[in-house]
Amino acid sequence: MITRLCWGVALTLAIAGATRGSAAPAPQQTLSPIDSAAAGIFNAAYNLNYDEALRRARQMVASSPDESLAHRTLATVVWMHLLFDRGASSIDHYLSGLTSSTIQLPPPPPERAAEFRRHVDRAIALAETRVRQRPADVSARYDLGVAHGLLASYIATIEGKVTQAFGSAKRAFDAHEEVLARAPDRLEAGLVVGTYRYAIAALSMPRRLLAYLAGFGGGKERGVSMVEEATHRELTRTDARIALVLMYSREGRHLEALALLKALATAYPENRLLQLEAGSAALRAGRAAESETLLTAGLAWHDRDPRPKIPGERALWLYKRGITRVSLYRLDGAVTDLRLALTHEPTGWVRGRIHLELGKVADLRGQRADALLEYRRSSDLCRTHRDPWCSEQAALLTKRPFRFATDPVD
């Protein structure tokens, strides 16, 4: 069976990304009124203005009740809002196996679950009707694939039922492969197909063979290329960039990921979480000083922003700046951040990683007994909250004191 990480990548980043338009015209063409309305709704959502996005999406459904795109847009915003409320939208969830912690999940609020199901089911039904009536219509087939993909995303990431998402995901993949076969210029369909191809290629050989037998195609380089091509379509530009941030990060292309995040932050200037991710990417790219600058400014932004926050968000900002300061060998500042983060209700995986960093600081100061205590705390938390990367690091550091492999990053 395809791994949880694979589906986390393919479902959360790729499928969601293709939900925005039907015709997806080239940049020189004029958007239809309904595509323009959808673009405005997603602009609000990507700026973290979910109340506005939901209000406008509901108005769109009321004015266009027989349009699959209208229902799909509303269902997508509901889904995005649920992900935000759960704090499961960080790149960390996909780089180090944290997606496995989203498999056993509490049910979403009943009224929001019902709203999502009502509108995604209507979107699928309308798209299916259009395909039956106009089987040669590529846009109709594209819409159908997107609607099935959205359902797969929700089942996997909100309900935590990865296996049950398989059928809808396969229908999305097949529909968009057919779109590309009939109309190779429909680059937006490459977002879903390309991300699945990338994810399949990352599997072990036995799992890859199972995916091939199920009808999924692979190919890492081709997958990345297809997603890059999707950035040239107006209605998939943002989502393709988000998918590429993850792909580039997994491939060690951190400067390219950082550049994309900066472009996204410019496009969505009210989204403080993009700055959080940019700060993290800068550290992965070896630019710790830039990371500290971004995170310090972002933390001040967080504190003055009255809008809702993801669970434990302030703790996450402090943790990120804390690990950046460890890398800069600014140990006093790092400890201040990490200790303060523990007082701001960090989520379980963040708490485990905070103690891991505190152990590193103790090792750097020659306080091995204190370091071992922190590593044991980290190990217990990381196992409890299913953070495999953190568990492995705690086990290694329990055996061998932490030291920088090279001079601290500057």
Side-chain angles (χ1 to χ4, degrees):
M1 183 53 63
I2 296 175
T3 64
R4 291 169 176 178
L5 177 58
C6 168
W7 283 118
V9 173
L11 294 171
T12 305
L13 293 180
I15 297 287
T19 58
R20 298 167 65 178
S22 52
Q28 68 269 22
Q29 293 178 301
T30 302
L31 294 178
S32 69
I34 192 166
D35 280 326
S36 294
I41 290 165
F42 281 104
N43 184 70
Y46 278 119
N47 274 301
L48 305 184
N49 296 318
Y50 286 112
D51 288 344
E52 177 189 351
L54 286 167
R55 175 183 59 78
R56 291 170 64 178
R58 288 166 182 150
Q59 290 175 346
M60 184 180 179
V61 167
S63 62
S64 304
D66 296 324
E67 290 284 351
S68 179
L69 175 58
H71 293 277
R72 195 171 71 236
T73 297
L74 176 52
T76 303
V77 175
V78 171
W79 172 67
M80 291 172 66
H81 198 191
L82 283 167
L83 283 178
F84 176 88
D85 285 348
R86 286 184 167 174
S89 52
S90 167
I91 290 174
D92 289 295
H93 284 79
Y94 304 99
L95 289 183
S96 54
L98 278 165
T99 46
S100 63
S101 68
T102 66
I103 299 303
Q104 295 179 349
L105 297 170
E111 67 282 359
R112 294 168 74 182
E115 184 173 30
F116 174 86
R117 282 285 184 170
R118 183 167 64 253
H119 292 288
V120 77
D121 288 348
R122 182 62 176 156
I124 290 172
L126 288 167
E128 287 177 338
T129 298
R130 188 177 169 199
V131 168
R132 285 195 302 270
Q133 293 172 345
R134 301 160 62 182
D137 187 340
V138 173
S139 292
R141 201 163 299 276
Y142 177 84
D143 283 350
L144 181 59
V146 172
H148 277 300
L150 175 59
L151 178 57
S153 297
Y154 180 88
I155 293 171
T157 60
I158 301 300
E159 296 181 351
K161 299 173 181 177
V162 176
T163 302
Q164 292 184 25
F166 185 87
S168 291
K170 182 62 169 57
R171 285 189 282 273
F173 182 86
D174 289 346
H176 282 208
E177 277 216 314
E178 186 167 354
V179 168
L180 289 170
R182 296 186 181 194
D185 62 326
R186 292 293 298 262
L187 300 179
E188 64 276 11
L191 177 54
V192 168
V193 176
T195 308
Y196 272 115
R197 285 184 175 276
Y198 176 86
I200 296 299
L203 297 174
S204 65
M205 181 57 73
R207 291 191 174 102
R208 204 181 315 155
L209 289 174
L210 286 174
Y212 292 157
L213 290 172
F216 284 94
K220 181 181 291 187
E221 292 77 13
R222 178 56 181 150
V224 172
S225 176
M226 293 176 81
V227 176
E228 288 173 338
E229 290 171 351
T231 66
H232 300 300
R233 303 296 283 197
E234 183 68 27
L235 293 174
T236 50
R237 180 175 299 150
T238 291
D239 311 285
R241 286 177 175 179
I242 293 171
L244 285 173
V245 167
L246 174 58
M247 292 178 181
Y248 289 164
S249 297
R250 286 179 58 82
E251 297 302 313
R253 297 165 63 176
H254 299 303
L255 286 174
E256 291 170 90
L258 177 59
L260 284 174
L261 284 163
K262 288 180 177 179
L264 286 165
T266 298
Y268 303 104
E270 296 178 56
N271 189 329
R272 64 183 181 274
L273 296 181
L274 289 171
Q275 183 148 333
L276 177 65
E277 295 294 351
S280 299
L283 181 60
R284 288 192 289 268
R287 296 185 173 183
E290 181 179 357
S291 174
E292 184 181 33
T293 298
L294 287 167
L295 293 169
T296 297
L299 183 59
W301 181 3
H302 167 280
D303 290 348
R304 66 176 180 267
D305 191 342
R307 297 176 300 167
K309 311 297 193 297
I310 64 172
E313 186 178 327
R314 192 167 200 274
L316 183 57
W317 282 97
L318 288 163
Y319 159 69
K320 291 290 188 178
R321 192 173 66 176
I323 62 174
T324 298
R325 287 176 167 174
V326 171
S327 74
L328 290 166
Y329 211 78
R330 297 175 185 168
L331 302 186
D332 290 343
V335 169
T336 297
D337 278 348
L338 295 168
R339 294 289 183 198
L340 186 58
L342 289 172
T343 70
H344 283 276
E345 300 182 348
T347 56
W349 72 270
V350 175
R351 186 178 293 275
R353 295 191 184 196
I354 289 171
H355 285 291
L356 185 73
E357 293 301 315
L358 287 170
K360 291 179 182 179
V361 172
D363 266 338
L364 291 171
R365 287 174 166 171
Q367 301 166 349
R368 185 59 177 164
D370 291 340
L372 289 172
L373 179 61
E374 295 293 352
Y375 295 144
R376 285 194 289 271
R377 288 171 177 164
S378 175
S379 180
D380 290 343
L381 286 163
C382 294
R383 282 198 306 272
T384 298
H385 296 283
R386 300 179 185 178
D387 185 349
W389 176 87
C390 180
S391 294
E392 292 168 6
Q393 292 297 306
L396 288 172
L397 292 170
T398 298
K399 298 174 183 177
R400 183 179 65 251
F402 174 77
R403 294 289 183 269
F404 289 113
T406 58
D407 292 336
V409 177
D410 55 31

